[in-house]
């Protein structure tokens, strides 16, 4: 089992460009999450999906959109990247509140 | 809203010694889970230990144990016999209603040989 996978691992964008971060899990979890991690801020929730077909905003949703394509996949889209979106992005999945399983992260730099 | 506070940005410990990382939290939920996650330089988030709020007994996992004080809303992590591989960022986290997890800002642990 691969657990939670994320692509790409690294990305550099110019201001105004768009991109989609992909996430997939093979643990049959209902819930999936997108976080961003910034120095001194911990992990902050961008969006989450409690089940296939549903998505909800987290703490910092502005500038992002998500799609829960199916039970396995949960993508995060930046429509018009800004330097303030330079961060490390983590996808996670869970079944109930017991534990979240994290992907390896994507380091995104917006110039 | 739920909050998690880690007031120690950095800690250091001598190899083989014991260190305690502090965490306080606030939530209006009666049922919740508390976690400590470890993030080594590889960036991978790894669950260290989990505590269910309804359990009075403190969780332990080998060299890792917690001191859960529900009334004080305190959840500290004790690492015994510290090893070089324990050097990492440690995040305290709270899972309350609707499966939302709130993380603290982290404590960077240095292990001195």
């Amino acid at each position: 089992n691969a657990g939670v996978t994320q692509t790409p691992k690294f990305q550099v964008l110019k201001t105004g460009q768009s991109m989609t971060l992909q996430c997939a899990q093979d643990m049959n979890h209902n819930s999936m999450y997108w976080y961003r991690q910034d120095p001194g801020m911990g992990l902050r929730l961008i969006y989450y999906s409690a089940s296939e077909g549903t998505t909800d905003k987290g703490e910092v949703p502005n500038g992002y959109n998500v799609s829960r394509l199916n039970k396995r996949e949960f993508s995060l889209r930046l429509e018009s990247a800004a330097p303030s979106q330079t961060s490390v992005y983590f996808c996670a999945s869970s079944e109930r509140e017991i534990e979240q399983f994290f992907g390896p992260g994507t380091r995104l730099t917006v110039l | 809203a739920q909050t998690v506070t880690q007031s120690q940005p950095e800690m250091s410990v001598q190899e083989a010694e014991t260190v305690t990382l502090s965490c306080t939290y606030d939530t209006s939920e009666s049922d919740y889970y508390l976690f400590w996650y470890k993030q080594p330089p590889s960036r991978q988030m790894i669950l260290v230990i989990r505590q269910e709020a309804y359990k009075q007994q403190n969780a332990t996992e080998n060299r890792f144990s917690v001191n859960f004080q529900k009334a004080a809303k305190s959840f500290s992590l004790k690492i015994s016999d510290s090893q070089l591989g324990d050097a990492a960022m440690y995040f305290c986290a709270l899972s309350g209603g609707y499966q939302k997890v709130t993380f603290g800002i982290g404590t960077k642990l240095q292990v001195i040989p």
Side-chain angles (χ1 to χ4, degrees), chain A residues 15-91:
Chain A
T15 298
Q17 287 186 317
S18 63
M19 79 161 295
T20 299
L21 281 64
Q22 306 287 353
C23 174
Q25 52 94 6
D26 62 2
M27 294 172 282
N28 203 37
H29 288 163
N30 280 310
S31 301
M32 296 186 73
Y33 311 80
W34 276 105
Y35 294 91
R36 60 177 290 172
Q37 182 179 21
D38 303 291
M41 308 275 301
L43 276 77
R44 292 182 293 168
L45 183 64
I46 305 171
Y47 271 93
Y48 71 102
S49 171
S51 62
E52 184 179 354
T54 68
T55 61
D56 284 288
K57 294 178 181 179
E59 183 184 353
V60 288
N62 291 345
Y64 305 95
N65 286 301
V66 291
S67 295
R68 183 74 184 267
L69 305 169
N70 48 55
K71 193 171 185 179
R72 289 188 63 248
E73 298 171 289
F74 188 39
S75 62
L76 178 72
R77 183 161 178 83
L78 287 69
E79 290 291 350
S80 178
S84 61
Q85 294 178 304
T86 293
S87 188
V88 179
Y89 291 84
F90 286 95
C91 178

Side-chain angles (χ1 to χ4, degrees), chain A residues 9-10 31 33 35 37 40-43 48 57 88 90 94 96-100 102-105 107, chain B residues 33 35 37 39 42-47 50 89 91 95-106:
Chain A
K9 285 189 168 52
F10 301 92
S31 301
Y33 311 80
Y35 294 91
Q37 182 179 21
M41 308 275 301
L43 276 77
Y48 71 102
K57 294 178 181 179
V88 179
F90 286 95
S94 74
R96 298 182 292 157
E97 298 92 351
I98 296 175
E99 178 183 355
Q100 291 196 343
F102 286 83
R107 182 177 293 278
Chain B
Y33 290 81
F35 309 88
Y37 281 90
Q39 186 180 43
S42 67
R43 263 193 349 228
Q44 183 68 50
M45 294 286 286
I46 303 163
L47 179 67
R50 172 179 66 236
M89 284 290 288
F91 292 96
S95 176
Y98 303 104
Q99 303 186 39
K100 286 188 179 181
V101 180
T102 301
F103 288 82
I105 63 172

